[in-house]
Amino acid sequence: MDLKFSQVTRKGPVTTVTLSRPEVYNALHIEAHFELNKVFDDFAADPEQWVAIVTGAGDKAFCAGNDLKWQAAGGKRGWDRGGFAGLTARFDCDKPIIAAVNGVAMGGGFEVALACDLIIASDNATFALPEPRVGLAALAGGLQRLPRQIGLKRAMGMILTGRHVSASEGLELGFVNEVVPQSELMAAAERWAETICKNSPMSIRASKQAIERGLAVSLEQAMTEQREYAAVKAMVASQDYIEGPKAFSEKRPPKWQGR
């Protein structure tokens, strides 16, 4: 695949996807969305890749959101079924995705980060949903995910004002997992990814699916139905399900196969 607006690298079971339009603070347009949708389709389908990290090119921005200049010049808007950056509507990916936010994460950029399972932020990162300031609304998941992740009143305080939130405040509010110096950002994100990869990928996928589906229903329904979730059933039928207890009893590190 010839990538024009992103870069993809793989290190063991970890895929790193870099949004690469630094000349516009990694703002995205329709062609970039379709490209990134294919990138994340490939990641989701690859059994050898267990965790993804998403970051932005350069040291100023993770993603400035929708390319408004492209739109104002008459550029066509839209994205593939995975949503903004191929991620905001990707509800069927059970593999963990980490946002390594370096600098600005505005509008759709913040929505991409919120769609990830973890957010690791550099100390110069800034987050906002400023769409109302330009006559728009954060309809790529921001209006739904932010209240669910930090509570209604805190989210309303951000959304209705469009104010900018620092990385340290994001950590306090609860949507950021860790803040590190910018020079240490990718190392920190990779550390989180490597720690996740020490666990069974089958168990990780089952856990993510059970959490996400369970949050959409009552506690009773979630606990009743969770063993019927596809990723949970796949875990129970996997070689990893046998390997984990066996390695524990033999006092050795497990050899996960991811199947």
Side-chain angles (χ1 to χ4, degrees):
M1 182 179 179
D2 183 22
L3 301 178
K4 296 180 179 179
F5 311 110
S6 62
Q7 301 168 16
V8 177
T9 60
R10 295 181 178 86
K11 181 180 179 182
V14 179
T15 294
T16 297
V17 180
T18 303
L19 311 179
S20 188
R21 298 187 76 215
E23 69 282 2
V24 289
Y25 286 73
N26 300 317
L28 302 177
H29 57 7
I30 186 170
E31 294 179 44
H33 292 311
F34 273 77
E35 176 178 299
L36 286 161
N37 192 75
K38 180 63 168 61
V39 165
F40 286 108
D41 278 351
D42 290 347
F43 162 71
D46 189 341
E48 302 302 319
Q49 295 302 294
W50 297 355
V51 180
I53 298 172
V54 187
T55 194
D59 57 4
K60 295 182 179 180
F62 172 72
C63 175
N66 181 41
D67 190 339
L68 294 178
K69 291 183 179 179
W70 167 274
Q71 180 180 339
K76 184 180 177 182
R77 293 193 64 191
W79 44 68
D80 210 336
R81 64 180 185 82
F84 200 96
L87 279 179
T88 60
R90 186 171 293 274
F91 298 108
D92 59 352
C93 181
D94 300 318
K95 298 179 181 181
I97 302 175
I98 301 169
V101 178
N102 52 317
V104 170
M106 296 289 154
F110 187 21
E111 291 176 295
V112 170
L114 289 171
C116 295
D117 301 295
L118 301 172
I119 297 178
I120 315 304
S122 62
D123 52 13
N124 70 327
T126 307
F127 303 87
L129 294 175
E131 282 87 347
R133 295 185 179 185
V134 292
L136 303 174
L139 299 177
L143 300 182
Q144 309 305 325
R145 286 192 170 98
L146 192 60
R148 284 168 168 79
Q149 293 183 20
I150 68 173
L152 179 59
K153 291 296 189 280
R154 289 177 170 182
M156 283 291 196
M158 286 185 64
I159 293 165
L160 299 184
T161 63
R163 71 183 183 89
H164 293 194
V165 169
S166 67
S168 59
E169 186 179 356
L171 182 65
E172 181 182 347
L173 289 171
F175 65 78
V176 171
N177 293 88
E178 184 179 3
V179 180
V180 297
Q182 186 173 31
S183 61
E184 300 174 17
L185 177 64
M186 291 311 297
E190 289 169 2
R191 167 170 45 81
W192 279 85
E194 290 165 3
T195 303
I196 292 171
C197 288
K198 292 179 181 178
N199 303 305
S200 164
M202 303 302 292
S203 298
I204 292 297
R205 293 169 202 164
S207 298
K208 176 177 173 177
Q209 187 176 91
I211 290 168
E212 291 188 336
R213 293 195 179 186
L215 286 174
V217 298
S218 70
L219 174 62
E220 180 180 3
Q221 183 177 346
M223 292 186 66
T224 300
E225 296 178 352
Q226 61 186 354
R227 291 188 177 275
E228 297 304 314
Y229 297 160
V232 175
K233 293 175 77 171
M235 176 192 72
V236 173
S238 72
Q239 292 298 310
D240 284 359
Y241 197 70
I242 298 171
E243 169 64 7
K246 183 178 180 182
F248 179 82
S249 66
E250 295 174 357
K251 298 181 180 180
R252 61 173 175 80
K255 298 178 181 178
W256 304 124
Q257 298 182 46
R259 64 175 191 273

